[in-house]
Amino acid sequence: MKEKTREFEYTQADFDVLRKISNQYSGILVPDDKFDMFYSRLSKRVRMLGFTTFKQYCQYLKDNPDTEFTEFINAVTTNLTSFFRENHHFEYLSKTVVPGLLKKHAGTKQIKVWSAGCSTGEEPYSLAMTLKESVPADWNISILATDLDTNVLATAAAGIYMADRVTGIAEQRLKRWFQKGMGGQANKVRVKPELKELIEFKQLNLMQEWPLKGYFDFIFCRNVLIYFDRETKAMLANRYCGLLEEGSYLFIGHSESLHQLDTGFSLIGNTIYRKSSK
């Protein structure tokens, strides 16, 4: 089998260095089959910095963590998402979770939510739409949306998407919550301000300190745990548990599970967990 012709010299040793750094910083496990992906994702940085080998880039990354780490992590993290992805979660939210919260918080009229690993924003905006449609107008809804990748957070905060990103949203909902672009922006849509004002976008590394206060009514952490080893999954689940009151909810991705992990959650639905009583 013929070796691939690459623009930059790139070896297994380079890949091992880079995935070790990624794991140490983010906790994300990088399997062997990501060898080519790392090359394609990082080649732009190697080219921009004027290097001819990935070995040079590895050394640069070690020598300049303050300036290069963010670029490195942004390049190698995967951000696949869509509006109302795994829609059964949003249906459960409006039909089961919200009615319970309206009774629980009738005095304060406040709902506090965390979208952990929010990527380009489709998930927190989907949460905002669901809550605005099912919670009385005089309630205060607060959504914290975090991600490790600063590039996707910038996209999320802007709230501007290509029109094909919203093709799966019902026409009535589309008209209510999005503005269509005009002229040169005709192929784009913008999230309306009344949704954006509910959400605070922040960078957060799940493997480091969480400067978060108080309890959340529910947490969405979907398609994030899949990247971690068993011990890290359990650790993260228990940290989420500490930010939820008894009876509150954790939503995870369709290919994820807390099965046989020692956490404070009980499975109550399709990838829906509830904080157990002690």
Side-chain angles (χ1 to χ4, degrees):
M1 186 174 174
K2 189 178 179 181
E3 280 285 317
K4 287 185 178 180
T5 302
R6 299 186 188 275
E7 181 181 355
F8 307 106
E9 183 184 316
Y10 176 57
T11 67
Q12 182 66 41
D14 298 330
F15 175 56
D16 290 340
V17 167
L18 292 169
R19 64 175 171 177
K20 183 179 180 181
I21 292 172
S22 174
N23 178 257
Q24 288 173 338
Y25 181 73
S26 67
I28 295 171
L29 290 173
V30 182
D32 292 340
D33 64 7
K34 300 300 182 189
F35 181 85
D36 288 333
M37 184 270 273
F38 261 52
Y39 179 85
S40 62
R41 294 277 185 89
L42 290 166
S43 288
K44 183 179 179 181
R45 290 299 301 163
V46 175
R47 188 180 304 112
M48 187 178 295
L49 292 164
F51 299 140
T52 57
T53 71
F54 266 70
K55 185 175 182 179
Q56 291 172 304
Y57 179 73
C58 290
Q59 191 59 51
Y60 179 80
L61 182 58
K62 290 177 182 178
D63 293 341
N64 302 276
D66 293 342
T67 55
E68 186 59 23
F69 247 84
T70 298
E71 296 290 347
F72 168 66
I73 290 296
N74 287 355
V76 299
T77 48
T78 300
N79 298 285
L80 175 65
T81 187
S82 61
F83 287 99
F84 296 97
R85 186 182 187 185
E86 298 173 52
N87 190 52
H88 67 279
H89 283 164
F90 298 97
E91 291 179 354
Y92 187 86
L93 198 58
S94 61
K95 294 175 183 176
T96 303
V97 177
V98 168
L101 292 176
L102 295 182
K103 292 179 182 178
K104 180 180 178 181
H105 297 317
T108 61
K109 295 186 176 181
Q110 287 191 321
I111 294 176
K112 188 180 176 186
V113 183
W114 182 14
S115 168
C118 68
S119 188
T120 44
E122 287 89 339
E123 178 178 278
Y125 287 126
S126 298
L127 288 171
M129 284 182 261
T130 302
L131 292 171
K132 287 286 278 187
E133 291 167 1
S134 54
V135 173
D138 61 338
W139 279 56
N140 179 36
I141 299 167
S142 173
I143 302 172
L144 173 66
T146 66
D147 204 280
L148 180 62
D149 186 332
T150 55
N151 289 336
V152 297
L153 283 171
T155 298
I160 298 172
Y161 300 92
M162 299 302 292
D164 62 3
R165 300 293 293 164
V166 298
T167 52
I169 299 177
E171 188 64 27
Q172 184 179 1
R173 182 174 261 167
L174 202 56
K175 287 180 179 178
R176 182 175 179 184
W177 300 120
F178 292 86
Q179 298 167 327
K180 287 186 177 180
M182 306 290 286
Q185 302 294 310
N187 61 338
K188 295 180 181 179
V189 296
R190 183 196 295 270
V191 176
K192 288 189 176 179
E194 51 262 50
L195 286 187
K196 293 179 71 172
E197 67 188 16
L198 304 183
I199 307 170
E200 180 182 15
F201 291 101
K202 279 191 169 184
Q203 185 189 26
L204 182 71
N205 185 340
L206 292 174
M207 301 305 295
Q208 296 178 358
E209 287 299 310
W210 297 357
L212 310 177
K213 296 178 181 178
Y215 292 105
F216 293 97
D217 291 301
F218 60 88
I219 296 172
F220 269 52
C221 180
R222 306 188 307 166
N223 307 302
V224 173
L225 296 178
I226 193 172
Y227 295 108
F228 300 111
D229 61 28
R230 181 184 174 83
E231 288 181 3
T232 306
K233 287 177 186 176
M235 178 272 289
L236 287 173
N238 282 303
R239 289 181 78 183
Y240 290 134
C241 195
L243 291 171
L244 293 167
E245 292 182 335
E246 183 181 314
S248 296
Y249 301 86
L250 174 68
F251 296 80
I252 64 175
H254 69 280
S255 57
E256 299 171 321
S257 173
L258 301 183
H259 181 59
Q260 293 186 336
L261 294 181
D262 184 15
T263 72
F265 291 105
S266 299
L267 181 65
I268 59 166
N270 186 5
T271 56
I272 302 171
Y273 289 81
R274 197 170 191 181
K275 184 171 179 176
S276 313
S277 56
K278 293 180 181 178

